[in-house]
Amino acid sequence: MILKGPLSAARQASSQRNYCIFNAINGLSYMCLGETVLILLAVRLECPDYFISALGAMIYFGYLLLPLGKVVAARVGAARSQSIFWMARNAAALTVASAPLFCFFDMRPAAMVLLLTGAFLFYGFRAAGLVMSQPLIGEITDDLSRPRVIAVSIGLFYLSCLIALLAISFILRLNSSLWVLTAIIVVGACCGFTASRYVSRIDETESLRNSACKPIFQDCLAVFRDTTLRRLIFSGFLVNLAIIMTIPVSMLALKRGYHVSDTDALLFALVQFGACAGMSFLSGKVAVSIGPRKMILLAYAGMMLIGILWLCAPAGRNNAFLCLPFLVAGTVFVGSSNAITHYFLQTTPPEKRVAGSIFISLVTGVGAGISGMALAGLLLGWCTGGQSDSPGGYQAYFAIVTLLLAPGFWLIRRLPPLPMEKRKIRKSWLEIV
């Protein structure tokens, strides 16, 4: 509901509750539709490595549809806009679920086109729905409650992912056919339609709709001229690029390098989403303790650690060791996302959050999506050509990726500390003296 004037404490609390319920149900939906199941479906359809790396980049390439979210939000508000795009997102998931039908009639190229198009629309509508998400969180929280709400809501999302993943693993152990995998996607879409009802119940003020109505070109220029936000854009680009080039390819390396079955691969995904859930609940406390800037730095270092772990992986399958890259992946993915959101909300005044959110997401999302898709596809084709059924080619890929990402750590260090972090630095120096 769009209200005049600031939200009361009661309405903020009600909106926070609906936002948390939305995330809990959305976690059930996403696990049935997201990148893990998409990659398993693509592998089952015998898609080439470069195509699967492109699927992994769609999560950011879909940010091309961000401006569409602003147009709709200007008419119906932030919460209602997200609800509309969430329904469209799950309709796109049903398009993905229809891809196996074309393989059944020996039309594999058409199935691949449908899979890639459906994935783009799935992530694109998701991006359009989330365009006002950060400003909306800013509306329903204050400075004190914001880290807790972000951490709890995302934690509920990943906890639901864990529950859904356990159920999916059990179902696929009973029957792992292509049609069962397709049915899981359909069930996830139905959960997504349900989740959209709760996000539409979130209250907001007129300021978000008014902000979405305004032309944002000048505000985008102002965001770019701001040194802190410009460095945040560059840091977000590097973080997203690192995610694209490490996390989706980890599942590909597991499946094709070590010949892991779908059901066993989901157990490794369970480790990743378990780490996501744990880090989501801890991120609020960690952000308060060390600050979002250090969290971004640690998360980026963790992404390089993923490459190092794959480089050190044994030639034979060792489940305990192979769990480590997925454990790190879940931790750093959530840590980086929450830290960037926290940093953005703490450094951007409310009147600039809409323009800033759109501009930053476009640059860091689409830019990283295009770059990551091209780089990952090129390197995978070069490193795994002729030996994609062994871990050696993927280890060469991760060795090159780690070297390419290493300079980014020193570039992210240029991100200015927040005032709260500066106070902690001064306090620590005083304690040392």
Side-chain angles (χ1 to χ4, degrees), residues 281-306:
F281 287 108
L282 289 174
S283 62
K285 295 181 179 179
V286 176
V288 172
S289 176
I290 67 173
R293 176 181 175 272
K294 287 185 179 179
M295 280 188 66
I296 296 172
L297 285 168
L298 289 174
Y300 190 82
M303 291 168 202
M304 290 189 290
L305 178 60
I306 294 172

Side-chain angles (χ1 to χ4, degrees), residues 2-3 66-79 81 131-136 138-139 204-220 223 344 348-359:
I2 300 176
L3 304 171
L66 267 174
L68 185 60
K70 177 185 177 297
V71 172
V72 176
R75 288 162 173 76
V76 299
S81 171
V131 69
M132 301 290 288
S133 177
Q134 290 182 350
L136 186 61
E139 285 254 309
E204 61 186 276
T205 66
E206 289 182 315
S207 62
L208 292 186
R209 186 171 60 183
N210 294 338
S211 296
C213 289
K214 296 177 182 177
I216 63 170
F217 181 73
Q218 292 300 324
D219 286 340
C220 287
V223 168
F344 171 78
T348 310
E351 63 272 12
K352 290 185 179 180
R353 283 176 183 167
V354 173
S357 179
I358 294 174
F359 184 66

Side-chain angles (χ1 to χ4, degrees), residues 45 51 95 98-103 105-117:
L45 296 178
F51 180 87
T95 302
S98 66
L101 293 173
F102 289 84
C103 286
F105 294 106
D106 292 327
M107 300 172 63
R108 191 171 307 279
M112 290 173 61
V113 170
L114 195 63
L115 186 59
L116 194 63
T117 302

Side-chain angles (χ1 to χ4, degrees), residues 164-176:
L165 190 55
L166 285 170
I168 293 169
S169 299
F170 177 74
I171 291 169
L172 290 181
R173 283 192 180 278
L174 296 177
N175 188 334
S176 60

Side-chain angles (χ1 to χ4, degrees), residues 134-194:
Q134 290 182 350
L136 186 61
I137 294 172
E139 285 254 309
I140 65 175
T141 61
D142 52 33
D143 289 345
L144 292 177
S145 65
R146 191 167 296 135
R148 175 185 57 82
V149 172
I150 292 173
V152 171
S153 61
I154 301 302
L156 287 171
F157 170 81
Y158 284 112
L159 189 60
S160 295
C161 285
L162 281 176
I163 295 171
L165 190 55
L166 285 170
I168 293 169
S169 299
F170 177 74
I171 291 169
L172 290 181
R173 283 192 180 278
L174 296 177
N175 188 334
S176 60
S177 70
L178 178 61
W179 304 113
V180 170
L181 195 61
T182 303
I184 288 171
I185 296 176
V186 174
V187 170
C190 294
C191 290
F193 288 125
T194 303

